[in-house]
Amino acid sequence: MVSCRYCAVFILAIAVSLGATTAADAQESSLTIQTTPGGQRPNAPASYVDGYTVTCTAAAWVEGEWSPYLYAYNWLYVDSSEVDYAQDFGFWYVVAVTEDYVAVTPYNQYISCYADFLGGSQMVDATVPGVPTGETIQSGGWSDVYQLWQQTLTPGNYSNRWVTEQDGGGGSDTCWYWGSPIPPFTSITGGDWQVGSSNDYGPDWHGWGTDAVAHYRSEGRAPCQTDFYQNMLIDMPGGSTLYQVNPMSAGITDLTVWCAKGDQFEQRTRLSPSPSPTPHARPQGFADRSSVLMPRRGMVSRH
Amino acid sequence: MKSHIVTARLRLAALLLLLSGFTAVSAGQEGRPVSVAVNDPRPLASAIQEIERQLGLVITYEEVPWVYPPDVVDVTASVRRDGNSSQRVVIPRGGPFVCSGSLSGETSESQAALLEGVLEQYHAQGYPGRFSLKRTGDRFHVVVSQRRDAKGVFEIVRPMLDVPVTIPTRDRTVATMIQAIVQQVRDNTGGKVYLGLLPMNVLARARVADGAEGESARAVLARTLAAVPRKTSWQLLCAGGVDASCYLSVLPVPGK
């Protein structure tokens, strides 16, 4: 049994006694635990898991001559019309089934089933993994004109779990124009990451590449920007769960490129080396930060 | 009498067999209907993307700059925000395009037949260029083969990704490999080919240990993207005009 200060521990104890029979003996026993995703929030995609139905099943294999006594207490339907009562036979005798609902929390929850059989006891356990309440975001620097965001999940331990980004909608690209040879940048494209030992993952690449920046500048589109939402999901047995929605924005000015995610904002001065010169680059100086189009602000958190 | 009955039964069986065969052929000819209606400066690219989405196929698209004046339209006034009219913004002259066909099965032959039909319908509309269909593995490529020259006469063009590329073999990210391919195409054609939109969270993490020795850029690109753990397609789109730039974008294909 795993226990810790922060972990809710569910114990579903099943005390089972088959009792003594002269006609049959329990030869084997079985104890299983099953977690079935359930409790999805209204209007959420089917894969969004909010909780689990936990089912513990205790059963015993009973062998021996036919006994009306066993038949009377058998919880399973047994079609005995073909049974040759003179022969030995056996069947799984389901002794107990118990079920409970476990809602997800930020922390892992350890569940156990315990059963006492004739000849010994058994225990099985399972885990309902925790779901982060959110993530903190910080810049991991730039790779050319791409911002590399680094994220840390809070508050529990999610090491080795997988997180996936999905498009959260809201796409609007003011750099793109009808007929542009570069498609509109209006949605995230679906990356996934394994969470590291420090609850961190990344980098999350964000922004246009150098050539696209140069193109939009040369076509006189700057300043312009794109805004959309990033849904972050964490893997769960049988599905995944949304834990945070990040507003994401990226923009191009004549002299800078900038990226914003959640409450973070980063920009860098970057002139266009290719494919064609900035048509009317400002003669000198950095763009004043206040002159930069600021992205939408705010964070939508699940918890 | 008995032989008469047997003969009648044989005739009936033959008739049933014929009828069942006829039904099967008819059903095969009808197939799964596919219809697309788009309105875009590049109607074929847009239609191809819609068919990609409907069928879950990877169908790439490659064009070249259109140079025949009626094939392009100057949109400087509506696109430029800086008032600089010395640098014109020119795009292909597209418009509405409706096409339809049917998929008689899940075989690559039936898929190819459907796409050939779409190309025929596109060519009948008089929009810019003539295109042909190519294949590498399970990817289809809709590739420009002819365009009207400045006088309006069709000329054969060599698609940019037909160009052979030579890239040293080493382990690198897929994004770096694509950069190397585009750089080679630019160097070997003298054309203005650049990178457009790339799904970097996918391409910067997938790796390939690969190179190329005089292979077509298309084949190397297809092989490189096969290393990505999700379906991806590409579009090579060009601005309009003689000296226009083209941009290679890699796009995720929605799962069917």
Side-chain angles (χ1 to χ4, degrees):
Chain A
M1 179 66 58
V2 182
S3 65
C4 72
R5 186 177 170 189
Y6 299 104
C7 300
V9 179
F10 287 78
I11 303 174
L12 305 173
I14 306 161
V16 177
S17 174
L18 285 175
T21 68
T22 53
D25 292 313
Q27 305 292 319
E28 293 177 59
S29 56
S30 155
L31 182 64
T32 58
I33 186 167
Q34 184 181 19
T35 54
T36 309
Q40 286 110 12
R41 75 198 72 178
N43 304 319
S47 62
Y48 285 15
V49 179
D50 280 356
Y52 289 88
T53 300
V54 180
T55 309
C56 295
T57 306
W61 178 255
V62 179
E63 210 167 329
E65 293 175 1
W66 180 252
S67 157
Y69 173 79
L70 275 176
Y71 179 80
Y73 289 90
N74 185 10
W75 292 8
L76 286 178
Y77 171 72
V78 177
D79 180 0
S80 55
S81 57
E82 300 293 323
V83 171
D84 178 356
Y85 293 121
Q87 300 295 315
D88 287 352
F89 70 99
F91 58 91
W92 279 103
Y93 184 89
V94 175
V95 185
V97 178
T98 187
E99 205 171 83
D100 204 349
Y101 179 75
V102 180
V104 297
T105 74
Y107 303 97
N108 292 344
Q109 299 174 79
Y110 302 97
I111 310 159
S112 293
C113 298
Y114 177 82
D116 247 340
F117 291 98
L118 281 178
S121 61
Q122 288 187 27
M123 190 177 79
V124 290
D125 54 40
T127 304
V128 170
V131 175
T133 54
E135 62 188 17
T136 58
I137 300 160
Q138 58 182 2
S139 171
W142 294 87
S143 174
D144 201 2
V145 287
Y146 290 106
Q147 171 60 215
L148 309 180
W149 299 111
Q150 291 290 336
Q151 292 67 218
T152 304
L153 300 177
T154 56
N157 177 13
Y158 313 98
S159 302
N160 297 319
R161 304 269 297 277
W162 282 85
V163 293
T164 307
E165 63 171 2
Q166 282 183 354
D167 183 33
S172 142
D173 179 353
T174 63
C175 300
W176 181 82
Y177 55 90
W178 175 257
S180 168
I182 296 173
F185 179 27
T186 51
S187 64
I188 60 94
T189 47
D192 55 6
W193 299 264
Q194 188 165 26
V195 179
S197 56
S198 304
N199 269 347
D200 56 337
Y201 75 87
D204 178 11
W205 292 68
H206 186 199
W208 286 276
T210 309
D211 295 346
V213 169
H215 169 75
Y216 284 129
R217 283 177 176 161
S218 74
E219 302 290 69
R221 301 297 287 172
C224 57
Q225 70 183 75
T226 181
D227 308 281
F228 48 81
Y229 288 95
Q230 176 195 48
N231 287 353
M232 290 306 306
L233 290 85
I234 191 162
D235 68 326
M236 302 288 285
S240 57
T241 289
L242 177 75
Y243 68 87
Q244 178 144 319
V245 178
N246 292 315
M248 299 191 77
S249 300
I252 303 169
T253 73
D254 285 344
L255 290 173
T256 66
V257 290
W258 59 264
C259 290
K261 178 177 181 180
D263 58 357
Q264 297 293 303
F265 177 86
E266 294 291 328
Q267 73 171 333
R268 78 180 312 191
T269 303
R270 184 72 183 191
L271 295 175
S272 304
S274 67
S276 47
T278 309
H280 65 142
R282 289 178 190 164
Q284 60 183 9
F286 283 54
D288 183 68
R289 187 179 174 115
S290 62
S291 72
V292 175
L293 286 177
M294 296 298 287
R296 288 196 293 262
R297 283 281 178 269
M299 179 183 293
V300 183
S301 181
R302 181 180 170 273
H303 295 282
Chain B
M1 182 65 184
K2 191 177 178 182
S3 67
H4 182 70
I5 293 171
V6 170
T7 309
R9 281 181 178 167
L10 279 173
R11 280 181 184 161
L12 181 63
L15 183 64
L16 285 173
L17 196 65
L18 271 172
L19 283 174
S20 64
F22 178 76
T23 308
V25 170
S26 298
Q29 283 170 345
E30 283 171 10
R32 176 183 167 184
V34 176
S35 65
V36 172
V38 295
N39 186 4
D40 195 275
R42 298 178 185 84
L44 183 58
S46 184
I48 289 299
Q49 212 168 15
E50 177 57 24
I51 293 170
E52 242 185 3
R53 192 189 64 75
Q54 284 186 23
L55 302 183
L57 293 174
V58 176
I59 314 166
T60 70
Y61 173 88
E62 300 168 31
E63 64 183 21
V64 289
W66 310 121
V67 295
Y68 180 49
D71 279 349
V72 296
V73 55
D74 189 321
V75 291
T76 307
S78 63
V79 169
R80 296 203 77 94
R81 294 172 172 144
D82 55 6
N84 177 4
S85 57
S86 64
Q87 285 190 306
R88 312 301 297 177
V89 180
V90 179
I91 64 169
R93 184 189 297 275
F97 175 48
V98 178
C99 61
S100 60
S102 68
L103 199 59
S104 56
E106 294 297 317
T107 63
S108 55
E109 288 73 20
S110 63
Q111 292 161 348
L114 170 74
L115 295 173
E116 293 281 8
V118 170
L119 295 188
E120 274 178 33
Q121 293 171 66
Y122 174 80
H123 295 148
Q125 298 288 309
Y127 285 129
R130 289 185 181 281
F131 291 79
S132 59
L133 189 66
K134 299 189 177 206
R135 267 185 70 189
T136 54
D138 57 356
R139 289 170 189 268
F140 290 99
H141 309 287
V142 171
V143 176
V144 65
S145 55
Q146 294 181 53
R147 71 174 172 190
R148 287 191 179 89
D149 65 15
K151 293 176 181 171
V153 179
F154 271 109
E155 62 177 0
I156 292 172
V157 290
R158 186 183 195 191
M160 286 183 226
L161 296 185
D162 270 5
V163 168
V165 295
T166 297
I167 297 168
T169 298
R170 68 176 171 85
D171 180 72
R172 43 168 87 79
T173 67
V174 167
T176 311
M177 185 69 173
I178 292 171
Q179 252 176 337
I181 294 167
V182 168
Q183 180 69 49
Q184 278 265 305
V185 172
R186 187 159 58 230
D187 293 346
N188 295 348
T189 62
K192 293 182 172 179
V193 187
Y194 303 99
L195 289 170
L197 201 61
L198 301 179
M200 290 299 288
N201 275 339
V202 178
L203 303 185
R205 290 173 61 218
R207 302 191 73 83
V208 282
D210 197 9
E213 186 67 47
E215 281 180 85
S216 84
R218 184 178 306 105
V220 182
L221 185 57
R223 195 169 66 232
T224 301
L225 287 177
V228 174
R230 58 180 300 183
K231 269 188 188 176
T232 48
S233 183
W234 71 73
Q235 287 188 333
L236 183 64
L237 306 181
C238 304
V242 177
D243 204 23
S245 299
C246 300
Y247 294 85
L248 178 74
S249 294
V250 175
L251 307 166
V253 177
K256 191 170 66 166

